Amino acid sequence: MTNPYGQPQQPYGGQPQQPYGQQQPYPQSGATPAQPYPQQPYGQPAPYGQPGFGGAPGGDLSAIKDYKGWAIGCIFLMWILAIFAIMKSNEVQTYKMQGNYAMAQQASQTTKTLCLIATILGALGWVVAIILIIVGLTAASEVHSYYCTGRYC
């Protein structure tokens, strides 16, 4: 069968079909008839920047931060958000172990955002508390006590 340009049409995949009973030669890169493509050892990166299982091209899972220390430190600033940040930090580790680059990156960004919000709100809360303590101590030192010495106290 020919295409409109007069060239013979190739089947899907671009490889010409071999007559029945003849086998195509396999590349010399370790492939066998049972495995037409060479297999990568478990845990090894895919060659030529190709994505591995659940990964992204060129992604380095060890470069993704989990912000666990920051999340634990936020307990003293805003403990409610800190708990969620710690949970998201644990998800980062889980996704990194699974090799899921996209989800690990997303969980890392969420952890960073939660920690940043907890730090800002917690710092503002501590500043307001210190100001209120100073104002309270200053107001308490100006209270005068009067002793009744006269007839009408």
Side-chain angles (χ1 to χ4, degrees), residues 113-124:
T113 303
L114 287 172
C115 288
L116 188 63
I117 292 171
T119 301
I120 291 171
L121 291 178
L124 287 175

Side-chain angles (χ1 to χ4, degrees), residues 24-81:
Q24 288 183 331
Y26 288 96
Q28 299 299 326
S29 61
T32 63
Q35 293 178 320
Y37 302 104
Q39 298 295 319
Q40 293 295 322
Y42 182 75
Q44 296 295 319
Y48 309 115
Q50 296 173 357
F53 177 73
D60 183 15
L61 289 175
S62 63
I64 299 175
K65 294 184 178 181
D66 60 358
Y67 301 105
K68 187 174 290 275
W70 190 9
I72 292 172
C74 287
I75 289 177
F76 300 106
L77 299 172
M78 187 87 175
W79 65 271
I80 295 173
L81 286 178

Side-chain angles (χ1 to χ4, degrees), residues 86-107:
I86 291 169
M87 290 171 28
K88 276 295 181 183
S89 176
N90 289 336
E91 285 182 20
V92 172
Q93 289 298 328
T94 302
Y95 289 133
K96 283 170 68 171
M97 289 175 54
Q98 293 173 354
N100 193 340
Y101 180 84
M103 291 303 291
Q105 186 68 32
Q106 182 182 5

Side-chain angles (χ1 to χ4, degrees), residues 3 36 40 84 89 95 102-103 112 128 134 147 150:
N3 63 16
Q40 293 295 322
F84 289 109
S89 176
Y95 289 133
M103 291 303 291
K112 183 178 178 181
V128 168
I134 292 172
Y147 294 107

